[in-house]
Amino acid sequence: MREDEPAGSVAAPLVRQLPLALTAPSGAGRAGLALAAAPLGWLDAHRAGILHPDEEALLTDRLHARRRHGLLVGRYAAKRALAVLHPDRDPRGFAIRPGVLEQPVLSAEGLGNLGVSLSHAGPVAVAIAFPEGCPMGIDLERARPDLVPLLLDQTLPAERQCLAACLDAPEAERLTRLWCLKEALSKALRCGLTVPTALLAVGGIERSAQGLVATFANFAQYQGLSFAAGDLAAALVWPRTVTLSIAAADRAGWQAALAEAAAGWPGD
Ligand SMILES: CC(C)(COP(=O)(O)OP(=O)(O)OC[C@H]1O[C@@H](n2cnc3c(N)ncnc32)[C@H](O)[C@@H]1OP(=O)(O)O)[C@@H](O)C(=O)NCCC(=O)NCCS
C-alpha cells in the first residue's frame, strides 16, 4: 500500500502492517510488525505528525543524511508497528528514546509494558512492537555480493551448511539471512554486536508453515524467522516458548511489500 500518493508521485512511502498472534504457556498476546520505505524528503516533510518532541530532539544538524534517514524511517516503521496494537493513538504520543545500551526504549502515557525493536537499511525499515514480557528483536539488511568475504568471516561453517541444506539461494542471500538472524538475536538480548558473532550462532534451521525457522546454538530460549525478497533479507527473533502465528494472506502481503521495497531501492 502506498500512502498519500498523488497520481504520478514516486516520493510517497510504502507501508505494510501485520498483526501477529502470540501464544505463550502463560496466555495469549499480540505483536505488531511493520515495514516502511520512504524517501528522506517525505519523512522530513511529514515528521511533525510522526515524532514525539523527544525524538525530534534527536535530529540534530550534525547528523549525516544517512543517519537522519535511518532515524526517521526507523521511527516511522516503529509507529506503524505500534499502530497495529493501538490504532487510535496519535503516533506523536509514543516516544522511542535510546537507552544506555542504545536500545530503543518506548514510553507513552497510559501505555502498558510494550517494547519495540527496529532496523533500517537505506530508505527501508522494519519494526516490531511486542509485549515486554516477550522480548523480540528484528533486523533488515540488503544482500550485497561484495560483502560475502566479510560475512564468511562472521559465520561458522556449521551455520552455512545448515542453511544451504534447506535453501537453494545465492551465497550473498544465504549469508545475509544468517547475519540477520544473529543480529536480530543480539537485539532481543540487548547486547547488540558487542559480543563475538560466534556466540550468536544459528544452531538449526528448518522449513515450517511460517517460513524458515531457526534455533540458536547458545541461546536455546530463542527462535528466529528468516525472510527475504529481492535483495532484502530480514529476521525476527522471539522466545521459543511462544508460538507466533501469521495469517497466510498477511504473510503473502508482507513478502510482496518486502519485494516492492527491494525493487524500489534507489540506484547505487
Ligand atoms: C544493535 C546493532 C547491532 C544495530 O546495528 P545496525 O546494523 O547498524 O543497525 P540496524 O538498523 O539493524 O538497527 C539499528 C537499531 O537497533 C537498535 N539498537 C541499538 N542498540 C541496541 C541494543 N543494544 N539492543 C537492541 N536494539 C538496539 C536501535 O533502535 C537502532 O536504531 P536507532 O538508533 O535508529 O534507534 C549495533 O548498533 C550494536 O551493536 N549496538 C550495540 C551498542 C554499541 O556497541 N554501540 C556502540 C556503537 S559504536
Side-chain angles (χ1 to χ4, degrees):
M1 176 183 73
R2 294 240 167 218
E3 297 198 328
D4 307 330
E5 188 170 17
S9 166
V10 289
L14 165 73
V15 175
R16 171 67 63 170
Q17 293 162 283
L18 221 72
L20 306 180
L22 309 174
T23 315
S26 53
R30 289 190 320 132
L33 181 62
L35 175 145
L40 179 56
W42 186 93
L43 291 160
D44 256 328
H46 291 80
R47 68 178 204 273
I50 299 168
L51 299 182
H52 185 278
D54 288 359
E55 297 171 326
E56 180 70 35
L58 300 173
L59 293 171
T60 64
D61 290 344
R62 288 197 195 155
L63 288 186
H64 187 278
R66 223 170 86 182
R67 175 61 184 135
R68 184 181 183 88
H69 200 166
L71 220 149
L72 278 166
V73 76
R75 290 309 187 269
Y76 182 48
K79 303 291 172 100
R80 301 313 300 249
L82 285 160
V84 173
L85 305 178
H86 294 285
D88 300 330
R89 284 217 180 205
D90 185 333
R92 293 170 295 186
F94 297 110
I96 302 168
R97 304 178 182 89
V100 295
L101 303 173
E102 296 180 9
Q103 80 278 26
V105 179
L106 169 70
S107 61
E109 211 176 307
L111 192 75
N113 294 328
L114 279 187
V116 288
S117 179
L118 62 93
S119 179
H120 27 77
V124 188
V126 289
I128 179 90
F130 53 86
E132 220 170 32
C134 176
M136 292 184 165
I138 199 162
D139 190 48
L140 172 77
E141 305 286 343
R142 188 168 172 232
R144 288 171 33 192
D146 60 309
L147 292 183
V148 164
L150 177 76
L151 293 175
L152 281 172
D153 206 41
Q154 297 295 330
T155 49
L156 302 174
E159 297 178 277
R160 299 197 289 267
Q161 280 158 18
C162 197
L163 183 55
C166 57
L167 180 70
D168 181 17
E171 189 177 32
E173 178 187 325
R174 281 187 277 118
L175 290 169
T176 308
R177 280 177 179 254
L178 284 175
W179 179 260
C180 286
L181 283 162
K182 291 152 86 101
E183 197 171 313
L185 174 63
S186 84
K187 290 182 186 172
L189 297 170
R190 307 287 189 273
C191 59
L193 297 174
T194 57
V195 299
T197 49
L199 196 61
L200 305 166
V202 166
I205 300 190
E206 60 182 40
R207 283 197 177 276
S208 81
Q210 303 285 19
L212 282 180
V213 176
T215 52
F216 296 95
N218 302 305
F219 293 92
Q221 314 91 317
Y222 286 93
Q223 62 189 322
L225 183 61
S226 161
F227 30 92
D231 57 6
L232 286 179
L236 179 65
V237 164
W238 73 100
R240 223 168 148 185
T241 47
V242 175
T243 304
L244 185 152
S245 317
I246 310 174
D250 284 340
R251 210 168 41 243
W254 174 261
Q255 195 68 20
L258 197 61
E260 191 179 342
W265 193 277
D268 294 316

